[in-house]
Amino acid sequence: MRKDLATALAGAFLSGEWTSSGLFDSAVPVVQGPTPWLPALIRQILAVYPAAPLDRSRELAVVIGSRPAAGGAKSARPIAWPAATTQMTSNPWHLPALHGLGDLAEMLDLGATELAWFTDPRHWARSTTDRRLRHYRVTTKVAASGAVRVLEAPKYRLKSHQRRFLTEILDRIPAHDAAHGFRAGRSVASYAAPHGGQPVVVRMDLEGFFASITAGRVYGILRSAGYPEPVAHALTGLATTVLPRAEWNAISPPANPDLREAHWRLGRRLAGPHLPQGAPTSPALANLAAHRLDVRLSALASSWGGRYTRYADDLALSGGIGWRGDVSRLVALVGDIVRDEGFRLNDRKTAVLPAHSRQVLGGLVVNERPHVSRAEVDLLRAVLHNCRRDGPSTQNRAGVPDFEGHLRGRIAWVAQHDPARGARLRALFDAIDWSF
């Protein structure tokens, strides 16, 4: 059977009554030529779908084309393509009901043409060489390690639609309890706190976290949320992108040859539809995509008598004295689970931290309780003292554009985890004369 005929029949079937006679009456007007094969095809479809698969029009088309009776329709042609009537058949998290693309367009305050432009079903914006027609601006940063980080920031209008997608839908889908990044009421402190005072802390990092999450995984999340295929496809297009080859070719590889292989893998990930690092929807979708990873690593840590938390791409596990002699096996098991879940560990950042060393998670020292290291506080205190004595310009050796805001942020970081020290640093800051 022709693919276009299967698609037309799927639309016709879903637009009418889901009975033998109803399916027959719906199908006849869309087929050119005799249909002796149609009754057998209908019986085979009803055997697969006792009830109408209102959320799966594309799947229905594939099943129609694969039935034995479809072989008799070799000469048949479609003469009409009725739009499939889709519907949410489940809604486990009580999300906004979006039964079709019209509902999605209404939620985003868009017309049908605008919705197609922003969701890019035909990949026009992704493949164009004209940057003015692309939805993302691409920039790069070099991390402290020397690795190149690619940032894909959505332009203003797309970003506003992504924010609505985030607040209306994604924020209502619960992430796993072990996830602490980008969640209301969670922080670096809550990520690090369960590991305070533990004899052994294991810190790991996921390589290319956002880029590793494909459009297929995003689509799976939205289908699990109950959205029918067209809506799930459109929302996936709204939240994923492809880095044009010309943009990747313009990025200089890391100077350190040890980082080149990871850089090559990043390029491979960015060449396919993925979560862009820079979109407001990406953190929430990344947490949801890592849900099964969190389930399995939490169970692994618990089976070893330990604890597990995750902050974005940072993984932390901790346990008792018994971990010391067998922690390499634990690390290997974590690696197996990570690979099985479609991610990859950044082996360069794996660290086993016993209690006699400085145990750092998310920038906080957790040997006793999560706190900012004394060395960091002392350095900040010295900078503030010198600013007050010699003027701020003498301390801004790195040429930070907003040095005042930079210092204020560093003080807030300390105050968040140690209010008393933060208050003393703030007093030093308030004494600075910013006029020179």
Side-chain angles (χ1 to χ4, degrees), residues 19 50 90 115 128-129 143-144 146 186 235 248 317 344 346 380 396 417:
T19 62
S90 66
L115 179 65
T128 180
T129 57
R186 304 291 183 92
L235 287 171
W248 176 253
L317 299 95
R344 184 186 180 101
N346 185 342
L380 179 55
N396 189 12
H417 308 290

Side-chain angles (χ1 to χ4, degrees), residues 53-57 59 86-101 103-104 107 164-173 218-236 285 288:
L54 292 173
D55 62 333
R56 290 166 283 164
S57 57
E59 177 188 293
T86 57
Q87 183 178 320
M88 292 183 76
T89 58
S90 66
N91 194 347
W93 295 299
H94 307 290
L95 304 175
L98 304 176
H99 299 298
L101 295 181
D103 294 330
L104 175 58
M107 185 189 85
R164 180 165 291 186
F165 176 19
L166 174 65
T167 57
E168 296 288 335
I169 296 175
L170 297 178
D171 281 347
R172 303 184 186 188
I173 305 177
V218 174
Y219 175 76
I221 292 167
L222 296 167
R223 290 287 290 123
S224 297
Y227 286 116
E229 287 174 338
V231 175
H233 276 290
L235 287 171
T236 299
L285 282 168
L288 297 175

Side-chain angles (χ1 to χ4, degrees), residues 409-425:
R410 290 177 63 183
I411 293 169
W413 165 252
V414 175
Q416 180 182 356
H417 308 290
D418 191 332
R421 284 183 173 176
R424 290 193 290 270
L425 293 172

Side-chain angles (χ1 to χ4, degrees), residues 9-298:
L9 287 173
F13 287 166
L14 291 175
S15 299
E17 183 182 345
W18 198 259
T19 62
S20 295
S21 59
L23 294 181
F24 188 87
D25 292 342
S26 298
V28 168
V30 309
V31 183
Q32 182 182 49
T35 59
W37 46 268
L38 185 56
L41 177 64
I42 289 173
R43 287 195 299 273
Q44 291 167 10
I45 292 300
L46 289 174
V48 177
Y49 298 108
L54 292 173
D55 62 333
R56 290 166 283 164
S57 57
R58 296 188 186 193
E59 177 188 293
L60 176 60
V62 172
V63 172
I64 289 171
S66 68
R67 295 304 89 188
K74 292 180 181 177
S75 61
R77 300 287 186 275
I79 56 176
W81 288 265
T85 302
T86 57
Q87 183 178 320
M88 292 183 76
T89 58
S90 66
N91 194 347
W93 295 299
H94 307 290
L95 304 175
L98 304 176
H99 299 298
L101 295 181
D103 294 330
L104 175 58
E106 183 178 353
M107 185 189 85
L108 297 175
D109 294 326
L110 293 173
T113 302
E114 288 181 303
L115 179 65
W117 168 242
F118 286 112
T119 59
D120 200 18
R122 299 193 179 184
H123 298 178
W124 288 336
R126 300 178 183 189
S127 58
T128 180
T129 57
D130 189 342
R131 291 187 177 183
R132 295 172 298 177
L133 299 179
R134 296 178 189 163
H135 289 315
Y136 292 84
R137 294 185 177 90
V138 179
T139 58
T140 60
K141 284 186 176 181
V142 179
S145 64
V148 177
R149 185 173 300 164
V150 179
L151 305 178
E152 298 165 291
K155 294 179 181 178
Y156 176 77
R157 288 198 66 198
L158 175 60
K159 190 173 186 177
S160 67
H161 300 315
Q162 289 175 337
R163 281 176 173 158
R164 180 165 291 186
F165 176 19
L166 174 65
T167 57
E168 296 288 335
I169 296 175
L170 297 178
D171 281 347
R172 303 184 186 188
I173 305 177
H176 191 273
D177 195 54
H180 291 260
F182 318 112
R183 296 183 63 189
R186 304 291 183 92
S187 65
V188 172
S190 66
Y191 155 72
H195 309 287
Q198 292 296 301
V200 179
V201 172
V202 181
R203 186 180 67 222
M204 299 179 176
D205 178 83
L206 298 176
E207 181 183 284
F209 183 46
F210 288 120
S212 297
I213 298 169
T214 64
R217 298 180 81 152
V218 174
Y219 175 76
I221 292 167
L222 296 167
R223 290 287 290 123
S224 297
Y227 286 116
E229 287 174 338
V231 175
H233 276 290
L235 287 171
T236 299
L238 192 72
T240 60
T241 188
V242 171
L243 182 70
R245 181 178 293 274
E247 295 280 7
W248 176 253
N249 291 339
I251 297 172
S252 299
N256 185 347
D258 294 338
L259 300 174
R260 298 282 176 85
E261 187 175 346
H263 185 73
W264 175 82
R265 287 193 294 269
L266 176 63
R268 290 289 299 272
R269 295 177 182 122
L270 295 176
H274 62 274
L275 288 184
Q277 187 169 351
T281 43
S282 292
L285 282 168
N287 275 340
L288 297 175
H291 187 275
R292 218 170 77 140
L293 174 71
D294 293 335
V295 168
R296 295 181 67 183
L297 292 182
S298 292

